[in-house]
Amino acid sequence: MAAGVAAWLPFARAAAIGWMPVANCPMPLAPADKNKRQDELIVLNVSGRRFQTWRTTLERYPDTLLGSTEKEFFFNEDTKEYFFDRDPEVFRCVLNFYRTGKLHYPRYECISAYDDELAFYGILPEIIGDCCYEEYKDRKRENAERLMDDNDSENNQESMPSLSFRQTMWRAFENPHTSTLALVFYYVTGFFIAVSVITNVVETVPCGTVPGSKELPCGERYSVAFFCLDTACVMIFTVEYLLRLFAAPSRYRFIRSVMSIIDVVAIMPYYIGLVMTNNEDVSGAFVTLRVFRVFRIFKFSRHSQGLRILGYTLKSCASELGFLLFSLTMAIIIFATVMFYAEKGSSASKFTSIPASFWYTIVTMTTLGYGDMVPKTIAGKIFGSICSLSGVLVIALPVPVIVSNFSRIYHQNQRADKRRAQKKARLARIRVAKTGSSNAYLHSKRNGLLTEAMELMGTPEEGHVGKSTSLAESQHHHLLHCLEKTTNHEFIDEQMFEQNCMESSMQNYPSTRSPSLSSHPGLTTTCCSRRSKKTTHLPNSNLPATRLRSMQELSTIHIQGSEQPSLTTSRSSLNLKADDGLRPNCKTSQITTAIISIPTPPARSPEGESRPPPASPGPNTNIPSVASNVVKVSAL
Amino acid sequence: MGAVMGTFSSLQTKQRRPSKDIAWWYYQFQRDKIEDELEMTMVCHRPEGLEQLEAQTNFTKRELQVLYRGFKNECPSGVVNEETFKQIYAQFFPHGDASMYAHYLFHAFDTTQTGSVKFEDFVTALSILLRGTVHEKLRWTFNLYDINKDGYINKEEMMDIVKAIYDMMGKYTYPVLKEDTPRQHVDVFFQKMDKNKDGIVTLDEFLESCQEDDNIMRSLQLFQNVM
């Protein structure tokens, strides 16, 4: 429930009158308004600047410093005001949060100063409003990176003995600046890549003539030397690949990565060549395999950040490039056809077919103009000039667009990824807060039941289960309780709903005299389909066996003992017990009351099953589970 | 060629929208002008004076002040439209879907059927609901149930209302909500309220039946001291 609409709570409660004539059971009592203080102004003095607000404004968020009694520590008796020795600029944002329910992040503010102030006032940064959240997260990430860089440069001086040998090796491969050995390895492999590429290139250069025979390329003249060089390079590459494979944290993922595929393609031709040296038939194919050795040049991309960025942007611009190719193809086909038919008449024309004209069109449109094919007829020349003019337009226009697309798409992708990651996190936050508020009601219900049950059982223990909820909260819960009474159904959380579903469908099979459940196939099928979706809910290990049994008891009672299955809830009598002085008017509650009193001790277990806090029984106390804190503060 | 590329890239970055023709721009301009005018008329409805409201309703000045502050916080323009109304009401019921019930509530609040609820209407209705006599409350509730405001409640209207109430419970309930639970609930209601069994409930039947039922009488007094 947002704090701003807390002021509308009287309206919501008044509107509940609409349920009263419809309800069949009496309504629970309203929570007593213990101290009806008149709303007063309080003065907050922050480093000399005075802020004033209503007390109820601050009490909207009882989990923060200003909303709780913690602010009494800062009360100055002499001046009758609350004095805080903090930054007044940030306090302005904090106070606006109480007023409007939205927390904003001022852009001029330093991120760590802002975080400190929020931590002081007990406000979680997750509730920053959508308008400022992106900015906040960006700044926070930059700050974190800065801290990480500082930490890394610190850590580089010291050794990290905790890493295993394999992990150090992987770290050395990925980040060559971590140790000198890694740096040496990095440069050695770079050198050998260069050597290998240069040998590939040089071995095709004609290398002076051996007297008595024709000119040979260097590769065949000094074949032994080149073979030795090739062997050395391939051995280095193989060793490097095997080392990387050994050190990789996830070998399967490493094998599938692009760089490892390039490595494999780079060294395979050599091994294949070793295997099939003497077979004349396949040596032709073997020669073409040597082409793949040029892929070794791509190994440089491990050494160059720029290459990697280029590859990535090409990948992300693939659709733009594809469209360019498509439109070019269209233009080429059109002009080639036109040129072919225009030149058909002329004799000894080189335009023998449309595919043959493709070459002319491409050469003309890219303004290359080799001159091996020229039109001879007048029509051909006219269309040829139109072709070259349009070539300039068609090719020159998209290229800058693509260039700017590169940068735009690159930045956009970065921003989109950022936003997607943030959106997931924010939706999760909102979902947690939403379930938090509904869970808050269920919790207070159980707390109420628990205190009543304990009092009934006569245990003189501490009745104080968790922090007392604010008046607005208790009134809100009373409202939800009235709704439960009106409809004769109760709110439960999702897990228990699943359990009930499963148990009712389990009960359905053995007991044939359960008309209420079996006559609604739609309901059970939805229950069962839900069960097939969710995998592990039945073997709920937190659930003590007594609880399961008691649930089964309740459900069997439900089936057997009720004439009007829809209007009776066996659990409602448990609630009625908690209400003083209201005699149950619902029909079958008399049957169930006696049996329910036994399972009341297991009523403790709901705390254990749905919410983790194991130690203290109050889930609303200061347990370091962020979810429950978010419930209170964000108060959606 | 380089110059062409340079100018094109600068053009690309500056001009995000593709160029449209004059007609489109003119249309946009007119639309913006109309929106400005609408905004001028929509903004700021101010309620009548505090003394008048105090005389008309059963609230004290202080209570009216608190109410107005909350009202103005959510609706700075001074009127609530149905969307805002639904959103506000939905925040109190996170489990289920409160929009249908909020819709009926809105139409009960909006006595003049203008589509917006001013602060005076809001406070008048609240005054009846929280501080009014039993008779007034029951009459207001009858008005809420009577969706088409024809003076009678028939089964379909009651079905809609009860369905809307059950929608607010959401999905995760114990026991599981069945399809005909609302229908059975409505049948029970009609059995109680419809004295002459003619299928509709008139205001007198409603008043009489409610006054006979102790539960209802007691629960009507529940929110007596909400302010």
Side-chain angles (χ1 to χ4, degrees):
Chain A
M1 190 179 71
V5 297
W8 287 66
L9 190 57
F11 146 69
R13 303 180 76 207
I17 279 196
W19 311 334
M20 304 301 162
V22 177
N24 298 318
C25 296
M27 292 291 140
L29 284 180
D33 205 355
K34 287 163 271 233
N35 38 2
K36 252 185 106 91
R37 275 186 305 197
Q38 293 288 8
D39 207 0
E40 44 167 344
L41 278 176
I42 61 175
V43 182
L44 302 159
N45 184 349
V46 182
S47 304
R49 209 190 297 180
R50 279 184 178 72
F51 298 87
Q52 291 186 331
T53 183
W54 299 105
R55 184 174 286 276
T56 46
T57 309
L58 292 182
E59 282 168 1
R60 283 182 193 158
Y61 297 102
D63 252 13
T64 58
L65 186 151
L66 291 172
S68 63
T69 52
E70 194 182 343
K71 63 178 182 286
E72 304 300 326
F73 286 98
F74 298 90
F75 188 65
N76 189 343
E77 291 292 341
D78 309 323
T79 52
K80 290 279 182 265
E81 60 189 17
Y82 295 87
F83 180 75
F84 297 95
D85 199 9
R86 311 286 302 189
D87 187 2
E89 297 291 334
V90 180
F91 187 78
R92 208 173 48 83
C93 299
V94 167
L95 195 53
N96 275 336
F97 165 62
Y98 286 89
R99 291 177 181 140
T100 60
K102 288 192 271 218
L103 181 62
H104 294 282
Y105 169 61
R107 280 157 209 245
Y108 54 81
E109 200 64 52
C110 166
I111 185 79
S112 40
Y114 189 73
D115 270 344
D116 287 342
E117 294 294 315
L118 285 188
F120 177 80
Y121 293 109
I123 298 174
L124 286 186
E126 268 73 33
I127 50 176
I128 291 183
D130 287 351
C131 40
C132 301
Y133 192 66
E134 204 175 314
E135 171 82 18
Y136 174 79
K137 273 293 179 201
D138 286 347
R139 297 276 287 270
K140 193 117 189 232
R141 202 178 315 133
E142 283 169 21
N143 204 31
E145 282 168 7
R146 181 185 61 84
L147 286 173
M148 244 178 18
D149 282 344
D150 286 347
N151 274 345
D152 274 351
S153 60
E154 269 181 35
N155 284 342
N156 275 340
Q157 272 78 25
E158 33 181 283
S159 62
M160 316 245 303
S162 54
L163 285 182
S164 73
F165 173 65
R166 184 174 155 186
Q167 283 172 327
T168 35
M169 209 158 64
W170 180 250
R171 211 162 138 253
F173 278 136
E174 291 299 298
N175 196 358
H177 301 284
T178 46
S179 66
T180 33
L181 188 61
L183 210 55
V184 163
F185 185 76
Y186 176 76
Y187 284 126
V188 161
T189 44
F191 172 70
F192 271 99
I193 295 173
V195 161
S196 158
V197 170
I198 289 175
T199 32
N200 283 348
V201 168
V202 166
E203 90 186 342
T204 58
V205 172
C207 216
T209 51
V210 171
S213 66
K214 59 179 169 54
E215 209 161 289
L216 283 177
C218 281
E220 290 182 24
R221 195 158 163 202
Y222 305 105
S223 56
V224 178
F226 278 107
F227 182 73
C228 291
L229 261 178
D230 205 19
T231 310
C233 293
V234 169
M235 274 213 286
I236 300 268
F237 295 153
T238 315
V239 163
E240 181 207 352
Y241 181 72
L242 289 174
L243 279 180
R244 271 183 209 265
L245 188 63
F246 167 68
S250 157
R251 296 212 173 110
Y252 178 62
R253 206 153 49 94
F254 174 72
I255 288 181
R256 284 194 317 174
S257 72
V258 176
M259 289 310 303
S260 93
I261 291 178
I262 291 178
D263 287 341
V264 169
V265 168
I267 59 181
M268 277 324 264
Y270 176 79
Y271 289 111
I272 296 179
L274 278 187
V275 167
M276 47 185 203
T277 34
N278 298 322
N279 203 341
E280 281 300 319
D281 296 331
V282 287
S283 68
F286 167 63
V287 166
T288 36
L289 261 181
R290 291 178 133 215
V291 168
F292 284 101
R293 289 189 303 172
V294 81
F295 274 85
R296 287 179 195 168
I297 207 168
F298 283 114
K299 288 166 70 78
F300 267 128
S301 61
R302 273 218 187 88
H303 298 251
S304 157
Q305 173 87 337
L307 266 183
R308 277 208 292 270
I309 291 178
L310 181 64
Y312 173 73
T313 44
L314 273 177
K315 202 167 53 153
S316 58
C317 280
S319 63
E320 256 76 8
L321 283 174
F323 177 69
L324 171 65
L325 273 177
F326 175 69
S327 60
L328 269 181
T329 313
M330 259 180 28
I332 287 171
I333 291 178
I334 291 174
F335 278 110
T337 314
V338 167
M339 287 309 295
F340 171 69
Y341 282 114
E343 284 289 303
K344 202 155 180 215
S346 103
S347 56
S349 132
K350 293 235 171 87
F351 295 78
T352 48
S353 63
I354 295 186
S357 319
F358 281 168
W359 174 244
Y360 168 77
T361 318
I362 292 175
V363 165
T364 313
M365 282 181 88
T366 52
T367 70
L368 279 175
Y370 288 135
D372 54 349
M373 280 166 84
V374 285
K376 292 196 172 59
T377 60
I378 296 190
K381 286 185 180 163
I382 292 175
F383 286 118
S385 39
I386 296 178
C387 175
S388 60
L389 284 175
S390 68
V392 171
L393 287 175
V394 170
I395 296 208
L397 267 183
V399 169
V401 170
I402 288 185
V403 163
S404 66
N405 259 8
F406 275 178
S407 58
R408 185 169 63 87
I409 288 174
Y410 185 60
H411 288 299
Q412 219 176 42
N413 264 359
Q414 280 193 322
R415 253 184 284 130
D417 286 337
K418 238 195 300 180
R419 233 178 296 128
R420 230 173 289 133
Q422 286 173 3
K423 184 177 184 181
K424 256 194 284 187
R426 274 196 302 127
L427 284 179
R429 255 192 323 142
I430 291 173
R431 223 179 313 129
V432 163
K434 197 154 189 251
T435 54
S437 77
S438 47
N439 280 342
Y441 171 61
L442 296 167
H443 267 294
S444 73
K445 219 170 46 155
R446 285 198 205 103
N447 284 346
L449 287 179
L450 190 54
T451 45
E452 295 302 332
M454 287 206 296
E455 280 172 27
L456 283 172
M457 283 173 13
T459 52
E461 280 177 22
E462 270 290 308
H464 178 68
V465 209
K467 260 203 300 214
S468 55
T469 50
S470 69
L471 185 62
E473 284 274 323
S474 59
Q475 286 177 345
H476 186 209
H477 293 164
H478 171 250
L479 187 65
L480 292 174
H481 203 178
C482 287
L483 183 60
E484 283 185 339
K485 278 302 167 77
T486 310
T487 55
N488 259 312
H489 288 66
E490 280 187 8
F491 291 113
I492 50 175
D493 54 14
E494 197 170 329
Q495 293 163 330
M496 302 226 291
F497 179 74
E498 305 283 329
Q499 283 168 15
N500 293 349
C501 233
M502 270 185 287
E503 276 156 12
S504 62
S505 59
M506 267 167 24
Q507 290 291 335
N508 206 12
Y509 294 127
S511 62
T512 50
R513 51 188 171 104
S514 57
S516 55
L517 288 178
S518 59
S519 60
H520 296 278
L523 188 61
T524 45
T525 49
T526 52
C527 278
C528 293
S529 62
R530 276 199 77 88
R531 173 170 50 147
S532 60
K533 261 195 287 180
K534 296 245 172 176
T535 49
T536 63
H537 260 285
L538 189 50
N540 197 350
S541 47
N542 319 357
L543 216 49
T546 53
R547 177 111 178 93
L548 260 178
R549 248 183 282 125
S550 66
M551 286 294 295
Q552 284 189 348
E553 274 176 21
L554 291 176
S555 42
T556 47
I557 291 162
H558 176 77
I559 294 172
Q560 292 167 5
S562 59
E563 301 103 46
Q564 301 169 14
S566 56
L567 290 187
T568 58
T569 64
S570 43
R571 288 251 233 105
S572 62
S573 55
L574 202 60
N575 287 339
L576 285 174
K577 219 190 263 219
D579 295 330
D580 319 318
L582 281 174
R583 272 183 305 111
N585 267 342
C586 300
K587 273 195 193 166
T588 58
S589 52
Q590 296 300 328
I591 307 174
T592 55
T593 311
I595 309 178
I596 299 269
S597 59
I598 301 172
T600 38
R604 272 178 181 274
S605 56
E607 293 170 335
E609 74 176 272
S610 60
R611 272 300 173 92
S616 61
N620 293 334
T621 51
N622 296 337
I623 291 174
S625 76
V626 181
S628 54
N629 272 344
V630 169
V631 166
K632 284 299 181 183
V633 176
S634 76
L636 244 186
Chain B
M1 188 76 164
V4 172
M5 283 175 65
T7 46
F8 263 106
S9 50
S10 62
L11 269 179
Q12 183 72 10
T13 46
K14 263 186 258 172
Q15 188 178 326
R16 282 275 160 240
R17 259 196 281 188
S19 65
K20 302 271 176 118
D21 53 357
I22 304 290
W24 186 84
W25 286 114
Y26 186 68
Y27 165 68
Q28 288 289 45
F29 174 65
Q30 292 290 56
R31 210 184 61 178
D32 290 339
K33 226 167 47 152
I34 294 171
E35 277 178 1
D36 282 335
E37 285 173 15
L38 273 180
E39 266 190 53
M40 292 297 290
T41 53
M42 257 178 12
V43 83
C44 277
H45 169 89
R46 297 212 163 75
E48 314 165 3
L50 201 49
E51 285 82 12
Q52 277 171 297
L53 277 179
E54 196 190 6
Q56 284 171 6
T57 65
N58 303 333
F59 290 121
T60 65
K61 266 210 188 120
R62 244 181 205 274
E63 290 166 341
L64 284 173
Q65 280 178 344
V66 171
L67 276 175
Y68 188 68
R69 267 187 271 140
F71 186 85
K72 184 99 177 160
N73 214 7
E74 279 302 305
C75 321
S77 59
V79 291
V80 194
N81 56 3
E82 191 168 336
E83 266 315 301
T84 322
F85 199 86
K86 281 184 179 173
Q87 277 171 15
I88 293 173
Y89 203 69
Q91 299 206 17
F92 292 106
F93 301 98
H95 306 267
D97 177 25
S99 57
M100 277 321 290
Y101 190 68
H103 170 82
Y104 298 131
L105 268 183
F106 185 79
H107 284 283
F109 268 77
D110 184 14
T111 42
T112 46
Q113 302 299 321
T114 52
S116 63
V117 171
K118 305 192 291 293
F119 182 64
E120 291 93 334
D121 304 331
F122 182 70
V123 151
T124 318
L126 269 189
S127 157
I128 294 176
L129 289 176
L130 296 178
R131 299 279 165 90
T133 64
V134 165
H135 212 81
E136 288 173 346
K137 289 183 192 176
L138 285 175
R139 186 142 6 112
W140 195 92
T141 315
F142 184 84
N143 190 33
L144 170 71
Y145 293 160
D146 184 12
I147 298 178
N148 54 4
K149 315 283 179 236
D150 62 350
Y152 305 106
I153 305 178
N154 52 9
K155 264 206 172 161
E156 282 73 32
E157 290 172 336
M158 211 50 219
M159 223 5 236
D160 289 339
I161 297 270
V162 170
K163 185 96 190 11
I165 295 179
Y166 273 90
D167 281 343
M168 284 199 281
M169 289 295 293
K171 198 165 47 158
Y172 301 122
T173 57
Y174 176 79
V176 180
L177 268 179
K178 305 192 183 65
E179 288 295 318
D180 66 341
T181 312
R183 176 157 294 284
Q184 289 176 349
H185 208 131
V186 170
D187 290 336
V188 169
F189 177 81
F190 258 81
Q191 267 177 341
K192 204 168 35 167
M193 299 284 163
D194 192 6
K195 296 287 181 200
N196 55 0
K197 307 289 173 218
D198 58 351
I200 52 175
V201 177
T202 62
L203 179 59
D204 300 317
E205 285 176 343
F206 185 73
L207 289 175
E208 202 185 318
S209 321
C210 287
Q211 276 163 339
E212 286 169 1
D213 189 338
D214 275 340
N215 272 340
I216 298 181
M217 284 296 113
R218 210 173 347 193
S219 45
L220 280 181
Q221 308 302 321
L222 203 55
F223 299 113
Q224 199 62 1
N225 50 353
V226 155
M227 283 306 295

